[in-house]
């Protein structure tokens, strides 16, 4: 499968599930103290460095973007799915959202003070990860924080359904050590690693890094 194929499948799939996905995710942050803590630490890092625009890449329905805004961060969202962006704009009319792909990130060099990618790299194939992280490094200002969240594991699988709607999308679970190595190869400094929901069927991890 080519990059164009899996990008098109991912875009169409999330267009299809945009409304049902939003209904499920709307209270996800409020219900998880670890996610709130990770976002609070990221927001503190951005503000301590003087603030400035922050890109939420793979923002989905905009719930993370909105939470960061509530923490005082000038966050805006980018997502591959026009359907997700439509929902994000409807749910959060005062915030900026735009359609775009992390595989060809259309932002100027050193234009953002921070970047967050929560559970969006999970749909990027292994061979495309270095280029994506290269884009992240290019658009971040020196010293800017990066936070990535993902499912922990060692498998990749196709998904044919989500939230009761049809999907054609691949999801990749990865070990934090592997993601950390990719970040270092992209010239990021990895500062911390959190793992949570350990012992469940959906463990997750958040890595904190800096350009």
């Amino acid at each position: 499968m080519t990059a164009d194929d899996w990008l098109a499948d991912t875009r169409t799939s999330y267009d299809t599930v945009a409304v049902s996905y939003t209904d499920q995710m709307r209270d996800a942050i409020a219900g998880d103290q670890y996610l709130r803590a990770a976002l609070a630490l990221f927001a503190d890092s951005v503000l301590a460095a003087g603030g400035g625009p922050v890109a939420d890449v793979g923002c989905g329905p905009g719930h993370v973007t909105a939470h960061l805004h509530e923490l005082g961060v000038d966050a805006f969202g980018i997502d591959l799915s026009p359907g997700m962006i439509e929902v994000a704009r409807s749910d959060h009319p005062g915030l900026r959202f735009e359609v775009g792909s992390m595989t060809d990130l259309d932002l100027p060099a050193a234009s953002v003070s921070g970047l967050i990618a929560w559970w969006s790299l999970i749909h990027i194939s292994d061979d495309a990860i270095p280029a994506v992280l290269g884009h992240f490094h290019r658009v971040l200002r020196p010293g800017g924080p990066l936070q990535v969240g993902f499912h922990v594991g060692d498998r990749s699988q196709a998904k044919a359904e989500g939230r009761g709607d049809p999907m054609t999308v691949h999801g990749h679970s990865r070990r934090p050590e592997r993601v950390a190595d990719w970040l270092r190869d992209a010239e990021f400094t990895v500062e911390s690693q959190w793992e949570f929901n350990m012992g469940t069927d959906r463990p997750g991890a958040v890595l904190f890094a800096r350009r």
Side-chain angles (χ1 to χ4, degrees):
M1 179 180 292
T2 68
D4 286 344
D5 290 336
W6 56 257
L7 282 171
D9 286 345
T10 302
R11 179 186 298 109
T12 300
S13 293
Y14 277 98
D15 281 347
T16 301
V17 303
V19 173
S20 56
Y21 182 89
T22 302
D23 289 341
Q24 179 173 345
M25 297 303 295
R26 188 167 279 121
D27 298 321
I29 297 171
D32 193 312
Q33 61 181 334
Y34 300 108
L35 297 183
R36 294 197 307 274
L39 291 176
L41 183 55
F42 176 76
D44 286 348
S45 295
V46 171
L47 297 175
V54 168
D56 177 10
V57 181
C59 67
H63 56 298
V64 172
T65 317
H67 189 83
L68 289 173
H69 183 74
E70 291 171 0
L71 295 175
V73 174
D74 181 18
F76 65 96
I78 300 171
D79 199 89
L80 180 67
S81 162
M84 285 291 185
I85 292 299
E86 182 178 354
V87 170
R89 288 171 175 167
S90 176
D91 277 10
H92 312 289
L95 301 182
R96 169 187 162 197
F97 296 98
E98 57 192 50
V99 177
S101 174
M102 67 177 68
T103 61
D104 188 20
L105 198 54
D106 188 19
L107 293 172
S111 62
V112 297
S113 297
L115 190 149
I116 189 166
W118 263 29
W119 281 265
S120 50
L121 287 173
I122 63 171
H123 298 305
I124 302 297
S125 63
D126 286 0
D127 60 348
I129 289 286
V132 167
L133 296 182
H135 282 299
F136 290 179
H137 191 276
R138 175 182 60 81
V139 304
L140 264 170
R141 294 172 183 168
L146 169 70
Q147 191 179 99
V148 295
F150 51 95
H151 299 305
V152 173
D154 293 300
R155 64 176 182 169
S156 299
Q157 62 183 109
K159 190 173 186 179
E161 183 183 65
R163 286 84 188 176
D165 296 312
M167 299 183 79
T168 305
V169 67
H170 282 76
H172 307 281
S173 300
R174 294 165 171 133
R175 294 292 169 189
E177 297 79 9
R178 187 180 193 192
V179 178
D181 284 342
W182 277 329
L183 288 169
R184 294 186 186 99
D185 288 344
E187 300 184 354
F188 286 99
T189 299
V190 178
E191 297 184 337
S192 185
Q193 170 185 311
W194 290 7
E195 295 184 53
F196 47 93
N197 293 336
M198 308 308 292
T200 72
D201 61 352
R202 297 294 278 177
V206 172
L207 294 186
F208 301 80
R210 198 171 296 274
R211 185 194 187 289

